[in-house]
Amino acid sequence: MKFRSIGIVGYGKYVPEKVLTNADLEKMVETNDEWIVSRTGIRERHIAAPEQATSDLAYEAAVRALKTAGLAAEDVELIIVATVTPDTTFPSTACILQEKLGAKKAAAFDLSAACSGFVYSMATANGFLQTGMYNNALIIGADTLSRITDYTDRNTCVLFGDGAGAVVLGEVPEGRGFLSFDLGAEGAGGPLLKLEGGGSRLPASEETVKGGKHFIYMNGREVFKFAVRVMGTATEEVLRKAGKSKEDIDLFVPHQANIRIIHSAMQRLELPEEKCVINVDKYANTSAASIPLALVEAAEEGRMKEGDTVLLVGFGGGLTWGASVLVW
Ligand code: ACO
């Protein structure tokens, strides 16, 4: 069976208005701009307004993506929202979004793979579209990490921000679109990065609230080591599957968690700065929104031309990783 070629035919992004700078954080916890910039590369991040939930951020990005794709909401066939901060446990954020958009025909579900969620979601939709089960898909990476961040914990509160990025996938000419995906998981590392409270193992209670179990817990040093390792191995594997070499990469779009992790991946690929998208300084780590925010920003700035080879790679809670090579 010959599969159809699937690629990105529309894109959009959204970040909330409010900006939280390193100087603001200096007033909240014992930290300083020099520490945050030198250890992470982050200068500021955007924070959702109290009335904004993940579906609201996703909606803004989705509307923009549909517009650039020239696709009406009522013609969308599949919606996947990658998130670890859904509006509610259920209904899914994708269903809430389906209603907001008026995308009545679309199947809709959430996908949970933390910061790797956007690449996981594109891979999932690619399968549906290649076989002809659906003709288009709206994929959104959206997270409101500020809602699960402990702003008294300096180890984590400086790292995260809120945002959403969206793409529309559809059929593209042969030789264009996705060439390969590499997805993976290391469940054994799950305890390094987690939110324990509120699930079926540890339902919400007075104790879970008092114990801070509804906030992100992270072993930063161990996650850092995992990140550097898998950014390297996933990149090599996804290039091999695509039949490409590191010299073929025109644009590298890594997960924006920490500038030092990005630099180590660039060194391994021997990539110059101009071939790498870096916006961690403005948005910090936005989890599932991170890769699409970087990709969409690059597209809006005209950094990709038709036929360019683009490599996306990310890692996150699970632990998980996801990478893709595509021809723009
Ligand atoms: N300001 C000042 N000092 C701080 C701060 C801060 N904000 N945070 C930590 N420190 C201190 C620590 O307390 C420690 O002090 P000590 O030596 O007296 O104990 C010191 O700085 C060094 O701490 P380290 O943890 O060794 O710092 P490191 O250089 O490893 O950087 C960081 C920490 C930035 C968290 C890094 O480990 C990292 O980026 N890890 C990966 C995180 C990540 O990518 N997570 C992604 C997943 S997110 C998701 O999936 C939702």
Side-chain angles (χ1 to χ4, degrees):
M1 179 178 178
K2 191 166 170 351
F3 290 131
R4 305 192 292 183
S5 296
I6 303 302
I8 294 172
V9 298
Y11 50 80
K13 69 176 190 346
Y14 174 77
V15 287
E17 234 169 82
K18 186 185 166 190
V19 174
L20 184 70
T21 64
N22 290 352
D24 295 329
L25 284 163
E26 284 178 6
K27 294 178 204 136
M28 296 159 67
V29 288
E30 203 184 321
T31 189
N32 57 77
D33 179 62
E34 196 280 325
W35 191 97
I36 302 173
V37 173
S38 64
R39 298 294 182 107
T40 71
I42 299 164
R43 294 182 186 277
E44 57 188 38
R45 63 289 287 141
H46 290 248
I47 303 293
E51 68 278 10
Q52 283 181 312
T54 297
S55 69
D56 301 312
L57 313 189
Y59 174 82
E60 297 294 337
V63 165
R64 290 163 202 193
L66 290 173
K67 194 168 174 215
T68 63
L71 183 68
E74 53 270 28
D75 294 328
V76 173
E77 297 183 7
L78 173 68
I79 299 173
I80 307 178
V81 176
T83 189
V84 291
T85 49
D87 289 24
T88 53
T89 303
F90 69 89
S92 69
T93 303
C95 285
I96 296 169
L97 180 65
Q98 187 238 26
E99 161 64 13
K100 275 188 215 252
L101 287 170
K104 287 192 170 20
K105 259 195 349 211
F109 65 93
D110 288 358
L111 189 149
S112 171
C115 308
S116 315
F118 181 74
V119 177
Y120 260 74
S121 298
M122 288 204 301
T124 304
N126 182 53
F128 282 126
L129 268 59
Q130 273 189 326
T131 58
M133 181 165 171
Y134 297 115
N135 292 305
N136 63 55
L138 174 62
I139 310 300
I140 303 108
D143 265 309
T144 315
L145 289 185
S146 63
R147 295 287 150 72
I148 56 168
T149 297
D150 178 357
Y151 285 97
T152 65
D153 174 16
R154 69 173 183 176
N155 289 297
T156 52
C157 75
V158 303
L159 303 174
F160 304 122
D162 301 334
V167 293
V168 175
L169 303 187
E171 191 170 5
V172 293
E174 217 178 309
R176 300 273 296 280
F178 298 115
L179 300 185
S180 63
F181 283 99
D182 184 55
L183 307 179
E186 263 179 38
L192 298 175
L193 183 54
K194 61 184 177 182
L195 189 148
E196 283 188 289
S200 56
R201 179 74 61 197
L202 198 61
S205 67
E206 210 177 316
E207 283 72 40
T208 62
V209 173
K210 279 188 187 147
K213 302 293 185 190
H214 298 275
F215 292 130
I216 297 171
Y217 164 84
M218 183 177 75
N219 179 331
R221 258 177 237 189
E222 289 306 314
V223 173
F224 191 96
K225 284 189 226 160
F226 166 80
V228 169
R229 172 166 58 86
V230 300
M231 292 281 275
T233 51
T235 300
E236 282 162 12
E237 187 56 17
V238 81
L239 281 171
R240 190 191 62 73
K241 286 182 184 170
K244 298 271 184 189
S245 65
K246 58 187 181 186
E247 289 77 27
D248 296 320
I249 301 171
D250 295 305
L251 198 70
F252 180 56
V253 187
H255 172 42
Q256 309 284 317
N258 184 315
I259 193 71
R260 292 184 291 146
I261 296 171
I262 296 173
H263 281 157
S264 86
M266 282 166 64
Q267 258 169 15
R268 189 154 167 169
L269 292 166
E270 297 173 54
L271 279 183
E273 193 106 344
E274 66 269 16
K275 287 193 173 183
C276 184
V277 183
I278 298 174
N279 61 16
V280 67
D281 52 324
K282 293 190 292 187
Y283 304 129
N285 181 349
T286 55
S287 189
S290 159
I291 289 180
L293 274 180
L295 180 72
V296 173
E297 193 156 275
E300 287 173 350
E301 288 170 359
R303 290 184 66 180
M304 289 172 283
K305 53 181 192 312
E306 265 184 42
D308 274 358
T309 299
V310 180
L311 195 152
L312 316 175
V313 61
F315 62 91
L319 299 172
T320 54
W321 69 86
S324 179
V325 173
L326 62 99
V327 176
W328 190 250

